[in-house]
């Protein structure tokens, strides 16, 4: 069977830094509250760049790291809920901007789980087709959706992008799972785009993020251990066999609780939430790139990544790097 390996990774973070102290200029909050409740110290937000710009730079870095010619790319998937426009897809914009052949290019929206979903889809597409290499990206400009007057949510999120090139190589994507529960999507969603009609031609609005933090917290602390246990059991592995856990960076307390429940030693955990906050679909992709570039992951290591987010959606992936 064809192997589907991570050939290269890249990420791109916009320059503007917004520290916890900076947020005090807009809302009633403080560094101590944000740090102890979330682990976040700062996040980056765009000034003039949009989602496709962040995705473009992350993609260039992944292509360079993979040492491939961009003409070898057969497919582009971008995981995002914050594309530049409702359509066309960010992936379509990138296909042209990166100067790729006329390849399949589309976006996936599974909120914060999007990158894990996209890896799942790309892995199956490569394994079962003539396509050999995929560019898979998680990219978000969440600042567009943030209500900057809502202290319950605005402190949590940041913008960024991460990318991987998948193709035949030394490693493999061993297994993955993805789940969804739409019955509880009221707990976390971007509020709606209103309906229009010839009689009521009101302008479009971009919805704000609305969240019931406690419900999301409860869900996430159940979903992460559950999907990790499923993937371990189905592959006859234990935590000891895994070199690194790269979880969605939404809240340090969620990561720590899941880690404790799963008996994962802290040194097997990759955490960068303090620098970026929750970058949704970009979070696992950025973390993976930083883990690779900082030498935390070596060829042959087994990694588990888990993401969870609005929907609810969640899923895990087992990678031999
Ligand atoms: O990808 C998934 C994305 N979402 C998540 O992962 C979110 C998961 N949930 C969480 O991370 C936590 O629920 C939060 C960090 C959002 C909130 O923590 P919490 O311990 O559940 O706090 P809370 O919502 O119960 O609020 C406690 C207090 C409230 O004040 P009162 O009503 O007790 O007087 C809030 O108004 O903290 C207040 N508060 C703040 N205070 C200072 C809420 N936000 C802030 C703030 N600064 N930014």
């Amino acid at each position: 069977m064809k192997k589907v390996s991570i050939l290269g990774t890249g990420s791109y973070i916009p320059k503007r830094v917004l520290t916890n102290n900076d947020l005090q200029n807009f809302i009633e909050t403080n560094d101590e509250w944000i740090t102890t409740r979330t682990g976040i110290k700062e996040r980056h937000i765009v000034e003039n760049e949009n989602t496709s710009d962040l995705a473009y730079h992350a993609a260039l870095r992944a292509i360079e790291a993979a040492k491939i010619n961009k003409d070898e790319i057969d497919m582009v998937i971008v995981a995002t809920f914050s594309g530049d426009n409702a359509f066309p897809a960010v992936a379509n914009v990138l296909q042209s901007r990166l100067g790729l052949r006329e390849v399949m290019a589309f976006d996936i929206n599974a909120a914060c789980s999007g990158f894990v979903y996209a890896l799942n889809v790309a892995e199956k597409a490569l394994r079962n087709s003539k396509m050999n290499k995929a560019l898979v990206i998680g990219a978000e400009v969440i600042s567009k959706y943030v209500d900057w007057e809502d202290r319950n949510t605005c402190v949590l999120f940041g913008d960024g992008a991460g990318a991987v090139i998948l193709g035949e190589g030394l490693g493999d994507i061993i297994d993955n799972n993805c789940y969804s529960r739409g019955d509880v999507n009221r707990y976390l969603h971007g509020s709606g785009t209103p309906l229009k009609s010839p009689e009521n031609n009101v302008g479009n609005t971009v919805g704000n993020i609305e969240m019931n933090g406690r419900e999301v917290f409860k869900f996430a602390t159940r979903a992460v251990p559950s999907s990790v246990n499923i993937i371990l059991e189905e592959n006859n592995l234990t935590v000891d066999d895994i070199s690194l856990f790269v979880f969605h960076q939404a809240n340090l307390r969620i990561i720590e609780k899941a880690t404790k429940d799963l008996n994962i030693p802290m040194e097997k955990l990759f955490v960068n939430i303090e620098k970026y906050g929750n970058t949704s679909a970009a979070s696992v992709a950025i973390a993976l790139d930083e883990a690779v570039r900082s030498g935390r992951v070596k060829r042959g290591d087994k990694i588990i990544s888990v993401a969870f987010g609005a929907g609810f959606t969640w899923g895990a992936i087992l990678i031999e790097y």
Side-chain angles (χ1 to χ4, degrees), residues 27-30 33-34 37-38 112 151-152 155-157 188 211 213-214 216-217 248 250-251 253-254 278 308-310:
I27 47 162
E28 206 182 313
T29 190
N30 56 77
W33 191 97
I34 301 172
R37 304 280 173 134
T38 72
C112 299
R151 68 177 186 170
N152 290 298
V155 302
L156 303 175
F157 298 98
L188 176 54
M211 183 179 74
R214 285 188 182 178
V216 178
F217 194 95
H248 170 44
N251 181 323
R253 286 191 301 150
I254 295 175
N278 179 350
F308 53 88

Side-chain angles (χ1 to χ4, degrees), residues 113-319:
S113 311
F115 184 69
V116 168
Y117 266 61
L119 289 176
N120 190 334
V121 170
E123 175 258 318
K124 286 171 182 58
L126 293 186
R127 196 101 71 192
N128 298 299
S129 77
K130 288 184 195 153
M131 294 189 287
N132 288 315
K133 290 193 177 65
L135 167 60
V136 184
I137 300 170
E140 304 279 18
V141 175
I142 307 179
S143 51
K144 290 186 285 198
Y145 285 86
V146 166
D147 176 353
W148 290 101
E149 291 175 358
D150 176 14
R151 68 177 186 170
N152 290 298
T153 53
C154 77
V155 302
L156 303 175
F157 298 98
D159 302 335
V164 299
I165 299 286
L166 297 181
E168 275 194 276
L170 295 172
D172 202 6
I173 292 180
I174 302 171
D175 195 11
N176 41 41
N177 55 51
C178 289
Y179 306 98
S180 145
R181 267 192 62 188
D183 58 314
V184 282
N185 62 30
R186 64 187 176 280
Y187 293 135
L188 176 54
H189 68 116
S191 56
T193 33
L195 296 176
K196 284 169 85 173
S197 68
E199 295 77 29
N200 185 14
N201 191 28
V202 292
N204 290 323
T205 57
V206 172
N208 281 328
I209 293 173
E210 293 171 2
M211 183 179 74
N212 179 329
R214 285 188 182 178
E215 289 298 332
V216 178
F217 194 95
K218 276 196 275 177
F219 151 72
T221 48
R222 280 196 307 266
V224 174
S226 148
S227 47
V228 170
N229 279 329
I230 290 169
I231 215 158
L232 286 173
E233 276 165 33
E234 289 187 348
N235 292 279
N236 293 317
L237 296 172
T238 69
V239 165
D240 293 344
D241 299 306
I242 308 301
S243 302
L244 196 67
F245 291 84
V246 182
F247 296 152
H248 170 44
Q249 309 284 305
N251 181 323
L252 186 59
R253 286 191 301 150
I254 295 175
I255 297 173
E256 285 174 346
K257 169 96 175 55
T259 306
K260 196 163 161 249
D261 291 352
L262 288 159
N263 284 320
I264 298 172
M266 286 308 279
E267 62 272 17
K268 288 193 175 190
L269 204 60
F270 188 86
V271 177
N272 65 4
I273 190 170
E274 70 283 359
K275 294 189 287 183
Y276 308 127
N278 179 350
T279 57
S280 187
S283 135
V284 167
I286 295 168
L288 206 52
D289 179 49
E290 291 198 344
V292 168
R293 284 174 194 260
S294 64
R296 291 282 302 273
V297 183
K298 303 201 173 39
R299 286 288 171 198
D301 283 355
K302 288 190 179 64
I303 309 165
I304 286 184
S305 252
V306 181
F308 53 88
F312 295 131
T313 55
W314 68 105
I317 184 158
L318 170 63
I319 300 167

